[in-house]
Amino acid sequence: MPHTTPTIELAQALISRPSVTPDDAGCQAMLIERLEKLGFVCETLQFEEVTNLWARRGTATPLFCFAGHTDVVPTGPEEKWSQPPFAANIEQGMIWGRGAADMKGSIAAFMTALERFIEHHPDHPGSIALLITSDEEGPFINGTTRVIDHLEARNEKIDWCIVGEPTSTAKVGDVIKNGRRGSISGKLTVRGKQGHVAYPHLVVNPIHKASPALAELSAEVWDNGNDFFPPTSFQISNIHAGTGATNVVPGHVEIDFNFRFSTEVTADELKKRVCNILEKHNLDWDIDWVLSGHPFLTAAGSLVEACQAAIKGITGLETELSTSGGTSDGRFIAPTGAQVVELGPINATIHQIDERVSVNDLNTLSDLYENILARLLK
């Protein structure tokens, strides 16, 4: 395929803007200019430092939505990149740059799919929307979750949503996410008594005290998963203690941990079970909890079927349904009752030095999005 398709040109234009969270760097204004020509009513929703876009064409139901984010993670050391991270150069059949795969390439494919679909179906049934945020890679406080609250307050419901997260592994369309695990993190503080290591009878070492409980938490079977989700996992990510001196027993230890959990258990159940284990070990402790998202699942239905059929028809692949990986903004959209699927390019280089995406894959992705629209809004 030629490099100079509308999808590739738009992807390059978006990638060239250094929109590190929460800065949108004018990406959404670029989209608005094109969307308004297609008959979309565009609302810029500014919450604190975060810029969000809600654009809708039509007022009827059902409502199909493309969801994504214009913000990107920092580049890291620019001198280590093979290509400048915001130059959006094309080399070896790939667009190179921060956000190429995650997820400005998908947004470009959204846009060109919409332009072709509306050209061919100007009087399509239902409505089409875009929900774009500049806060997906950051604190996720003033982004998609705030837009959904805004829509819920006026009873505006999404029926089908495709999130353009990079889901593919070897070929575009080989994997789609029809759900995600929940995520809850805890910062556990266990207190002891500080003192000199040479006088153990005068100290209480919180690391020693916490270790048996941590071993039990690590060995616990939280659930066995189900047909759609692997078993819930518990992982310790950081342990902080000590004054920096080798002859001082610390007065407290802080342990950061995270659960990625299935639909077989709730966040409240996990909290209760953790507390029961800590109490059993007679620790002086407390925990600060942060719930990043509940698990969600779109097990079957018209959206999954349309994605599978489009992928099969265009690429010949039998796509795999998966709930693996991290969280996404789909966790804020699914609880409203929407069917949510994530479909995007290959994720091998996301957040890495030399992030890049195949030119051919982006063109294919745009075709997939158009085909899915045609199957649902007919």
Side-chain angles (χ1 to χ4, degrees), residues 62-378:
L63 172 56
F64 177 97
C65 178
F66 285 122
H69 59 92
T70 50
D71 62 315
V72 299
V73 298
T75 63
E78 294 194 19
E79 67 275 11
K80 293 188 176 181
W81 284 69
S82 302
Q83 303 285 335
F86 295 113
N89 290 336
I90 296 177
E91 294 285 346
Q92 304 166 22
M94 313 285 284
I95 305 179
W96 299 66
R98 177 57 82 225
D102 189 14
M103 59 174 289
K104 291 181 176 179
S106 295
I107 291 176
F110 289 165
M111 192 68 244
T112 55
L114 284 172
E115 289 170 339
R116 293 193 308 275
F117 176 78
I118 291 169
E119 179 185 358
H120 299 142
H121 307 280
D123 300 317
H124 62 81
S127 301
I128 306 172
L130 265 77
L131 193 170
I132 308 294
T133 184
S134 67
D135 186 41
E136 197 275 346
E137 300 288 9
F140 60 80
I141 294 171
N142 292 308
T144 298
T145 182
R146 291 288 299 274
V147 177
I148 290 298
D149 289 344
H150 182 77
L151 297 177
E152 287 286 287
R154 63 192 194 192
N155 199 33
E156 196 166 357
K157 296 285 189 180
I158 297 169
D159 295 285
W160 302 303
C161 181
I162 289 183
V163 184
E165 289 293 337
T167 59
S168 304
T169 55
K171 296 181 179 180
V172 67
D174 60 358
V175 177
I176 61 176
K177 307 288 187 182
N178 64 322
R180 292 279 190 166
R181 295 174 294 175
S183 176
I184 184 170
S185 298
K187 181 180 286 292
L188 168 65
T189 300
V190 177
R191 288 173 288 271
K193 184 179 179 181
Q194 181 175 316
H196 199 293
V197 296
Y199 300 92
H201 59 291
L202 298 178
V203 302
V204 177
N205 191 316
I207 301 174
H208 296 179
K209 293 284 286 185
S211 293
L214 297 182
E216 184 170 346
L217 289 167
S218 300
E220 179 78 1
V221 176
W222 304 96
D223 61 46
N224 294 310
N226 54 38
D227 290 343
F228 297 99
F229 289 92
T232 292
S233 68
F234 168 88
Q235 292 293 323
I236 295 170
S237 55
N238 290 284
I239 297 179
H240 303 280
T243 64
T246 60
N247 60 352
V248 179
V249 171
H252 71 278
V253 59
E254 292 181 347
I255 299 107
D256 296 322
F257 62 89
N258 175 265
F259 284 103
R260 295 301 166 105
F261 62 102
S262 76
T263 50
E264 294 295 304
V265 66
T266 68
D268 287 342
E269 289 170 347
L270 291 172
K271 289 180 183 180
K272 182 177 180 180
R273 289 170 63 181
V274 168
C275 293
N276 288 343
I277 289 172
L278 295 173
E279 288 292 340
K280 186 171 70 174
H281 289 270
N282 298 315
L283 302 176
D284 180 8
W285 63 276
D286 58 54
I287 295 179
D288 291 327
W289 296 97
V290 176
L291 176 64
S292 299
H294 295 285
F296 72 89
L297 180 69
T298 301
S302 51
L303 180 58
V304 169
E305 291 167 4
C307 292
Q308 290 173 319
I311 292 167
K312 178 67 174 177
I314 291 175
T315 71
L317 297 172
E318 297 285 352
T319 193
E320 175 190 346
L321 299 179
S322 172
T323 61
S324 65
T327 58
S328 79
D329 276 359
R331 69 193 188 274
F332 303 124
I333 301 167
T336 68
Q339 296 178 41
V340 178
V341 163
E342 299 171 29
L343 167 59
I346 290 173
N347 56 26
T349 63
I350 60 173
H351 292 203
Q352 295 182 15
I353 301 293
D354 284 346
E355 181 179 350
R356 57 198 180 274
V357 67
S358 162
V359 166
N360 288 343
D361 283 357
L362 286 192
N363 289 321
T364 299
L365 190 62
S366 181
D367 291 340
L368 289 173
Y369 291 152
E370 181 188 5
N371 192 279
I372 293 165
L373 276 169
R375 290 175 184 276
L376 292 171
L377 297 181
K378 56 188 177 181

